[in-house]
Amino acid sequence: MATPDKNGTPSIDSVSLAIIEQLQEDGRRPYAAIGKAVGLSEAAVRQRVQKLLDQGVMQIVAVTDPLTVGFRRQAMVGIDVDGDLDPVADALTAMDEVEYVVVTAGSFDLLIEVVCEDDDHLLETINKRIRTLPGVRSTESFVYLKLRKQTYTWGTR
C-alpha cells in the first residue's frame, strides 16, 4: 500500500509498485490479470489502484503522439525570472500549450515544455504570452527536431 512517511509523502510497497508497473505496460490491463501477476485478488488490486489514484501517486491516462493529433511543434523553454517564481510558474501552469513546469536550480529558474500547432503558434505563445508575464526576464527556446525517447516507466525503477 501507499502509506505517508514522516513528510506526508506516500511510501509505496513492492506490491503497489508491481501494480504500477503492470499499468505502465498497459493502462487497460484487467485487474484480474494484474492480480495474477502480483499475487492478489482482483478486488484487492482494484482497491489498491483506487487508493493510488486517490492519493495522487499515479494517474491512468491516454498518451498521444502530438504529431498524430495536429501538434507539429514542441519545444523546451528555459525561463529566467526576477523575484518570486510562484506567480510566473502559476501563470505558465494555466496555459494550455504548457505541458509541464519545473522549478530548477541551474542556468534557468524554470523549464517548461510547450506543445503547439506550428511555428507561428509557438512564436505567439513565447513572444506574446510567456515573455509578457510580469517577472519574466528572459527565455531560451530549444525546439524539438525529433523525439528519440519518451517513457513513463521511471516510477518503478
Side-chain angles (χ1 to χ4, degrees):
M1 289 290 201
T3 54
D5 64 13
K6 65 182 178 179
N7 297 321
T9 304
S11 176
I12 303 168
D13 67 18
S14 61
V15 175
S16 291
L17 285 173
I19 291 169
I20 293 169
E21 187 173 72
Q22 291 284 311
L23 290 168
Q24 285 177 324
E25 289 174 11
D26 179 359
R28 294 173 37 129
R29 185 166 285 153
Y31 290 149
I34 295 170
K36 187 173 185 177
V38 303
L40 292 177
S41 70
E42 178 180 350
V45 170
R46 182 176 287 106
Q47 288 176 336
R48 280 183 180 248
V49 167
Q50 191 58 54
K51 187 170 184 177
L52 292 166
L53 292 169
D54 291 345
Q55 291 178 328
V57 171
M58 68 173 193
Q59 297 175 333
I60 300 172
V61 298
V63 178
T64 61
D65 175 354
L67 289 174
T68 64
V69 291
F71 297 99
R72 304 265 178 251
R73 182 56 68 213
Q74 292 177 267
M76 182 75 57
V77 181
I79 302 170
D80 287 322
V81 176
D82 285 324
D84 189 2
L85 298 175
D86 288 338
V88 177
D90 290 344
L92 293 165
T93 299
M95 292 182 189
D96 290 339
E97 295 85 355
V98 177
E99 293 299 311
Y100 68 82
V101 177
V102 182
V103 177
T104 66
S107 299
F108 301 103
D109 297 311
L110 300 168
L111 283 176
I112 66 170
E113 182 180 41
V114 294
V115 177
C116 296
E117 295 168 10
D118 53 29
D119 287 338
D120 288 336
H121 185 199
L122 176 62
L123 178 60
E124 188 268 331
T125 300
I126 293 171
N127 198 41
K128 304 265 194 244
R129 297 183 61 212
I130 295 171
R131 287 183 177 158
T132 60
L133 290 172
V136 171
R137 180 178 11 169
S138 65
T139 65
E140 185 172 346
S141 302
F142 305 90
V143 174
Y144 296 5
L145 298 176
K146 185 175 188 177
L147 184 62
R148 294 287 301 258
K149 179 179 181 179
Q150 184 172 357
T151 65
Y152 300 95
T153 58
W154 47 266
T156 61
R157 311 186 244 153

